[in-house]
């Protein structure tokens, strides 16, 4: 497989992995916070995952894979299929909240952890964090909070993929 083809497949797999991880975290957060907008974001992530998986499959089919790599490429498709199923499950959890179904307290307690609170925080334009690199903001150090995902320009990203934080 040519280097550019390898990079393209790698990019798809990385994005799908990141999106599935974010979808699961956001789905449970939507339930805990009873946040319909967050639930809707999970549903949108799942739709994006459908698009990515189709694009990846087309890319793999169009790639001239040497015979010795066929089995490992099939493995990539299996893993991304499983990743897609994880995101489908996250969507199902999110739809529970998006449909405005009443949550039983047992559900919220079951998925909440006593050592962890879930917060959704909006960074305002002009705030002390706005315009800084996430690493420069020292949010985790100063607050003790762990950042699960950041939404920028309608896209959810894992913290290690964030450059500059843009408020608003």
């Amino acid at each position: 497989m040519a280097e550019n083809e390898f990079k393209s497949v790698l990019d798809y797999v990385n994005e799908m992995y990141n999106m599935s991880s974010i979808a699961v975290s956001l789905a449970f957060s939507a339930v805990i916070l009873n946040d319909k907008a967050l639930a809707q974001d999970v549903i949108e992530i799942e739709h994006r995952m459908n698009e990515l998986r189709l694009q990846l499959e087309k890319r793999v089919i169009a790639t001239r894979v040497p015979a010795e790599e066929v089995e490992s490429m099939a493995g990539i498709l299996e893993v991304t299929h499983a990743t897609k199923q994880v995101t489908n499950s996250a969507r199902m959890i999110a739809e529970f909240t998006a449909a405005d179904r009443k949550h039983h307290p047992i559900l919220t307690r079951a998925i909440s952890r006593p050592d962890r609170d879930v917060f959704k925080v909006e960074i305002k334009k002009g705030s002390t964090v706005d315009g800084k690199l996430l690493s420069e903001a020292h949010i985790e150090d100063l607050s003790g909070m762990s950042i699960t995902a950041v939404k920028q320009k309608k896209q959810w990203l894992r913290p290690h993929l964030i450059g500059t934080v843009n408020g608003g």
Side-chain angles (χ1 to χ4, degrees):
M1 176 186 304
E3 180 64 28
N4 64 331
E5 293 169 331
F6 175 81
K7 174 123 175 57
S8 178
V9 169
L10 178 65
D11 290 343
Y12 281 114
V13 173
N14 276 334
E15 186 171 356
M16 292 176 76
Y17 166 74
N18 288 323
M19 288 176 58
S20 68
S21 175
I22 289 170
V24 170
S25 295
L26 294 181
F28 285 118
S29 296
V31 172
I32 292 168
L33 299 172
N34 196 26
D35 187 324
K36 290 180 191 160
L38 208 50
Q40 190 59 45
D41 284 344
V42 174
I43 294 166
E44 290 171 16
I45 288 171
E46 194 268 341
H47 291 308
R48 172 74 177 131
M49 182 68 87
N50 289 337
E51 295 168 10
L52 281 174
R53 181 152 183 259
L54 180 61
Q55 291 170 10
L56 174 65
E57 288 174 349
K58 287 178 181 178
R59 169 71 62 181
V60 169
I61 289 168
T63 303
R64 295 175 192 249
V65 179
E68 65 272 8
E69 291 183 27
V70 169
E71 189 174 336
S72 62
M73 285 301 279
I76 289 172
L77 293 177
E78 285 180 44
V79 169
T80 56
H81 175 72
T83 303
K84 171 71 179 93
Q85 289 178 315
V86 168
T87 308
N88 284 346
S89 296
R91 186 210 66 228
M92 291 170 65
I93 293 167
E95 285 175 342
F96 181 83
T97 299
D100 205 20
R101 293 178 57 193
K102 186 168 174 68
H103 299 164
H104 192 282
I106 289 175
L107 177 62
T108 304
R109 286 185 66 192
I111 62 176
S112 297
R113 290 181 42 189
D115 64 330
R116 180 179 295 178
D117 291 324
V118 175
F119 299 97
K120 181 179 174 182
V121 178
E122 181 180 344
I123 304 299
K124 304 281 186 198
K125 251 196 187 331
S127 71
T128 57
V129 178
D130 186 25
K132 288 187 177 180
L133 293 174
L134 194 57
S135 59
E136 293 174 340
H138 302 288
I139 295 170
E140 293 184 0
D141 296 334
L142 296 172
S143 68
M145 291 189 293
S146 174
I147 300 171
T148 302
V150 176
K151 185 176 184 182
Q152 287 194 324
K153 299 179 184 173
K154 298 185 178 187
Q155 182 179 10
W156 285 96
L157 301 168
R158 293 180 60 181
H160 71 277
L161 298 174
I162 299 297
T164 304
V165 176
N166 299 311

